[in-house]
Amino acid sequence: MNAFEISTLKEYNTARENSFENPETFWDDIASNYQWQKRWSKTLNWNFKEPKINWFQGGKLNITENCLDRHLKNNGETISLIWEPNNPEESEIRMTYSELHLAVCKFSNVLKSKGIKKGDRVAIYMPMIPELTIGVLACARIGAIHSVVFAGFSSQALADRINDSTCCAVLTSDGMYRGSKNLAVKTTVDQALKSCTSVKTVVVIKRDNSDIKMTETRDIWYHEAEQEVSDHCPAEPMDSEDMLFILYTSGSTGKPKGIAHTCGGYMVYAGYSFKNVFQYQNGDIYWCTADVGWITGHSYIIYGPLLNSATTLMFEGVPTWPNAGRFWEICDKYGVTQFYTAPTAIRALMALGDKWVKASSLNTLKVIGSVGEPINKEAWDWYEKVVGRGNCPIVDTWWQTETGGIMISGLGNIGKQRATFAGMPLPGIQPVLLDMDGKEISDDGIEGYLCIKYPWPSMLRTIYGDHQRCKDVYFSNYPGYYFTGDGAKREDGMFRIIGRVDDVINVSGHRFGTAEIENAINSSTLVTESAVVGYPHAIKGQGIYAFISLEIGNHDDAEVNNSVVSAVVESIGHIAKPDIIQIAPGLPKTRSGKIMRRILRKIAEGKTEDLGDISTLLDPSVIDSLIKGKK
Ligand code: WTA
């Protein structure tokens, strides 16, 4: 048995046992499947106190040699990347491993020609076009740290992220297509860069030929720059613990956190988890519908598949354009074998009726996956029966930006499945449930805080520029454990994720801190104070419910709505727009001035019969008016 591949339940059980008994040997065996320029001298060195986590110490590698160069001999002509454009009338692109390798080398040389080097941070703000993948890999090849920012974020959100990690360059495009829309991209970058002094270079890909402004000495067209460089670029030797990328994600307090991942451990785990969760076999066509702007796109559109010489499909558009059958048409067009999407997409498509699915055969599908939020029973059943035609296992993959890779999930059709349960931990992953006192819960069926008690290779190493925050958020609530922020329960060794236990809300699989949205809302001149909570939403999983107090004066609802929505769109982006805005004469506060969100959550959910203890409220009468004003 090759330790890298798990094909039976027996192999899974053996791997799991080995990983507990001798974790270092277990991970040594898996890491040996990759190409290292120099083998590591120490497998693991860790404590969760500081925290300090080093994997494969002393090892030298470049992840792009493992994603590309290593496959050239046997798989040079294998398709690495299929790109399906937004408009089905436009031609698709298929790139072999040899072609992708050349494209990455060229892009790397363009970056080098602008003086970008190992350790520099490079922001990438691009639509889902092949150059996004190529740009990410080019950064990795020269040792620059990529920080991909989802292209739906506003210019202000982009500027915040660029400034937080002082990026020296931005890779972007002129414009983008998304469904029926044609959106500006470069203009947003220009706006952001007004407040970013660190950026010296902007590389622009031509996508929609829109008329944009190029700033001389700063902006270059990629198609011109690539003419000037060679397509040979040796990969930069990287230490295992050198940073590979930063990806910003929301927490319960303050501004988004730059989660930092490193080269060696991330590579080992991204490749291993991809292979086994999706049971990828040569010749399969794998499609993950996420955007590269999120961790799912990093690990399971780009790195995981390419590390396995897989064929990965990248889709520029949206599931409902030109019609609601688009996903399924794409599955048939390419013969997709593994399909990986989010519950919010499943619910949205389910609501549009089975006919759209039934118009396609979907007969190549072998494994279907879900990620990003808990999947409800109804959506699970529909996904299994209508999309999977009753003969594809669902892999419900639980993980986080911070974990770098899938932690709890079924492995293709290996082992048992239970609707709405993410399943068993992957080998090497040691999740536990803790009670309020931080004691491990051993009984089944009891909800607890989901923590991980042993390091795994792709775990976050720090929050960029703020190690103390990393310690405080993840390693302090329950000393000795990594705290996920999720609640879960366990039955027969399988985990069911209940959802966040902190002030993070998960809207269509996107994470937002309530404080982050409140800060945005408070920037409206009409607002004095706000409180945001999540509430159950039939399609999005959670919706955003905003209670706001206004400046004195008469304001009509439309004026308030516009002002609040535009404040959010400006500071975060359309994706964080509140679904419901309720004007509140006052917010429920304790005598010490703390907003009691517990009560607001109940009001937003419409569960006002049992509000719990309200005796500590400064002014209990606000409750009545909040209930009356509920939307
Ligand atoms: C939630 C996305 C239930 C969870 C990969 C986690 C899930 C947060 C699942 C991380 C799942 C992710 N079932 N909940 N299969 N997958 N989550 O960082 O609350 O964008 O903490 O990573 O999404 O979101 P993130």
Side-chain angles (χ1 to χ4, degrees):
M1 162 186 168
N2 174 351
F4 195 79
E5 292 186 33
I6 299 167
S7 327
T8 61
L9 186 57
K10 189 156 168 267
E11 286 176 2
Y12 166 77
N13 288 328
T14 310
R16 190 132 181 251
E17 266 162 42
N18 292 344
S19 75
F20 285 153
E21 270 161 30
N22 203 336
E24 299 197 19
T25 317
F26 172 78
W27 288 114
D28 280 347
D29 285 350
I30 289 168
S32 300
N33 282 273
Y34 295 89
Q35 183 178 311
W36 296 78
Q37 293 170 357
K38 178 167 166 258
R39 196 179 160 92
W40 58 98
S41 47
K42 176 128 185 59
T43 309
L44 174 62
N45 190 357
W46 69 289
N47 72 63
F48 277 178
K49 257 205 206 101
E50 294 177 52
K52 177 176 127 182
I53 298 118
N54 287 329
W55 279 95
F56 312 113
Q57 230 172 345
K60 291 258 183 206
L61 75 148
N62 187 293
I63 195 168
T64 70
E65 282 185 330
N66 284 275
C67 287
L68 302 168
D69 308 55
R70 174 167 74 121
H71 307 315
L72 295 181
K73 188 157 161 263
N74 296 327
N75 282 303
E77 296 315 304
T78 300
I79 300 295
S80 56
L81 184 70
I82 299 176
W83 176 73
E84 168 72 9
N86 178 60
N87 186 340
E89 319 250 287
E90 193 182 334
S91 312
E92 74 266 18
I93 292 175
R94 294 173 208 248
M95 293 180 89
T96 63
Y97 270 91
S98 301
E99 288 165 341
L100 184 61
H101 175 255
L102 282 186
V104 170
C105 288
K106 259 192 183 278
F107 209 131
S108 303
N109 284 331
V110 168
L111 299 180
K112 276 185 171 172
S113 75
K114 299 307 290 181
I116 300 167
K117 55 182 192 316
K118 179 172 175 174
D120 288 347
R121 277 80 55 214
V122 174
I124 307 185
Y125 186 80
M126 247 196 244
M128 286 283 286
I129 52 178
E131 289 82 357
L132 171 53
T133 293
I134 297 165
V136 161
L137 293 169
C139 289
R141 191 156 184 96
I142 67 168
I145 300 165
H146 56 78
S147 169
V148 181
V149 179
F150 173 61
F153 277 117
S154 69
S155 60
Q156 194 180 318
L158 172 61
D160 290 346
R161 287 158 176 75
I162 290 173
N163 287 331
D164 184 73
S165 46
T166 52
C167 295
C168 67
V170 181
L171 316 182
T172 189
S173 68
D174 46 0
M176 69 188 274
Y177 299 111
R178 198 175 153 71
S180 58
K181 298 191 190 120
N182 182 194
L183 303 164
V185 180
K186 172 67 162 53
T187 318
T188 309
V189 172
D190 288 341
Q191 181 65 26
L193 294 189
K194 285 184 186 159
S195 55
C196 303
T197 49
S198 58
V199 174
K200 305 289 178 252
T201 306
V202 177
V203 181
V204 188
I205 309 291
K206 200 181 254 306
R207 171 65 187 117
D208 70 346
N209 277 312
S210 53
D211 190 18
I212 56 160
K213 192 168 148 273
M214 296 292 278
T215 300
E216 224 181 311
T217 73
R218 188 194 70 186
D219 302 351
I220 57 167
W221 281 109
Y222 182 75
H223 64 272
E224 288 172 10
E226 73 163 344
Q227 306 292 323
E228 313 287 317
V229 298
S230 99
D231 53 19
H232 174 72
C233 177
E236 186 73 29
M238 303 297 282
D239 283 338
S240 292
E241 285 298 336
D242 279 340
M243 218 176 271
L244 173 64
F245 67 84
I246 303 167
L247 186 58
Y248 286 85
T249 189
S250 298
S252 36
T253 55
K255 55 186 180 125
K257 305 169 285 195
I259 304 298
H261 284 288
T262 57
C263 296
Y266 176 82
M267 169 180 81
V268 168
Y269 197 74
Y272 176 68
S273 53
F274 172 79
K275 170 78 189 165
N276 294 303
V277 168
F278 297 101
Q279 291 290 303
Y280 187 90
Q281 302 298 326
N282 287 343
D284 284 351
I285 310 287
Y286 162 88
W287 180 21
C288 164
T289 70
D291 193 288
V292 169
W294 313 111
I295 191 68
T296 306
H298 281 59
S299 302
Y300 301 111
I301 293 179
I302 302 183
Y303 289 116
L306 297 179
L307 286 165
N308 284 282
S309 61
T311 301
T312 181
L313 198 158
M314 191 176 174
F315 174 43
E316 188 186 32
V318 297
T320 48
W321 192 82
N323 63 52
R326 188 73 194 276
F327 269 6
W328 323 121
E329 281 162 17
I330 296 174
C331 284
D332 273 12
K333 176 172 176 186
Y334 299 104
V336 169
T337 43
Q338 286 90 356
F339 176 74
Y340 189 28
T341 196
T344 188
I346 298 169
R347 288 189 295 260
L349 293 169
M350 180 170 78
L352 297 171
D354 296 3
K355 70 166 189 185
W356 295 108
V357 193
K358 295 205 161 132
S360 295
S361 89
L362 300 184
N363 61 1
T364 49
L365 285 180
K366 296 197 285 193
V367 176
I368 53 180
S370 172
V371 61
E373 47 175 319
I375 175 166
N376 49 313
K377 176 83 167 59
E378 208 190 349
W380 176 292
D381 289 345
W382 185 82
Y383 198 31
E384 187 175 46
K385 287 197 189 78
V386 182
V387 176
R389 315 280 154 134
N391 62 14
C392 296
I394 294 182
V395 289
D396 176 11
T397 62
W398 174 83
W399 59 298
Q400 311 178 293
T401 306
E402 294 85 342
T403 69
I406 296 168
M407 304 287 280
I408 301 180
S409 167
L411 306 181
N413 56 3
I414 297 174
K416 53 190 176 187
Q417 250 197 32
R418 190 171 300 173
T420 76
F421 276 70
M424 311 268 281
L426 264 70
I429 306 303
Q430 302 192 25
V432 292
L433 297 175
L434 301 186
D435 65 18
M436 303 265 267
D437 302 323
K439 298 237 159 41
E440 289 187 22
I441 299 172
S442 52
D443 291 342
D444 264 14
I446 299 176
E447 277 181 34
Y449 300 117
L450 180 62
C451 293
I452 319 282
K453 74 188 235 185
Y454 196 83
W456 65 100
S458 65
M459 68 186 297
L460 84 163
R461 299 300 195 266
T462 192
I463 288 176
Y464 191 85
D466 198 349
H467 195 65
Q468 183 64 37
R469 192 172 173 204
C470 175
K471 178 177 170 171
D472 294 345
V473 174
Y474 304 107
F475 298 93
S476 300
N477 293 17
Y478 303 102
Y481 298 91
Y482 164 80
F483 174 49
T484 65
D486 280 326
K489 66 177 181 179
R490 186 181 44 220
E491 280 174 24
D492 302 330
M494 302 174 80
F495 286 81
R496 172 168 191 188
I497 312 300
I498 316 282
R500 303 289 307 192
V501 294
D502 53 8
D503 286 323
V504 168
I505 47 185
N506 190 328
V507 185
S508 302
H510 302 150
R511 272 166 73 169
F512 298 104
T514 50
E516 187 188 357
I517 304 176
E518 287 160 11
N519 287 342
I521 292 176
N522 297 348
S523 70
S524 151
T525 50
L526 300 180
V527 175
T528 44
E529 199 176 28
S530 62
V532 164
V533 295
Y535 71 99
H537 187 289
I539 304 288
K540 300 178 177 184
Q542 281 189 296
I544 301 175
Y545 198 119
F547 295 89
I548 54 170
S549 298
L550 297 177
E551 292 287 346
I552 298 182
N554 285 333
H555 308 287
D556 67 36
D557 276 12
E559 181 194 7
V560 173
N561 272 349
N562 282 344
S563 170
V564 167
V565 167
S566 50
V568 173
V569 169
E570 208 171 284
S571 47
I572 307 175
H574 285 274
I575 47 175
K577 272 197 304 211
D579 298 276
I580 300 177
I581 295 170
Q582 178 176 339
I583 299 171
L587 297 172
K589 287 191 189 160
T590 60
R591 287 189 188 91
S592 56
K594 205 167 168 262
I595 295 174
M596 288 184 80
R597 293 166 182 288
R598 177 176 63 74
I599 294 180
L600 293 175
R601 254 181 247 126
K602 290 235 160 145
I603 295 175
E605 286 171 15
K607 291 190 184 151
T608 46
E609 14 357 294
D610 173 26
L611 289 179
D613 181 12
I614 54 169
S615 62
T616 54
L617 283 183
L618 185 61
D619 174 12
S621 73
V622 296
I623 304 271
D624 275 347
S625 56
L626 286 170
I627 294 174
K628 277 200 200 98
K630 163 139 178 30
K631 301 237 174 151

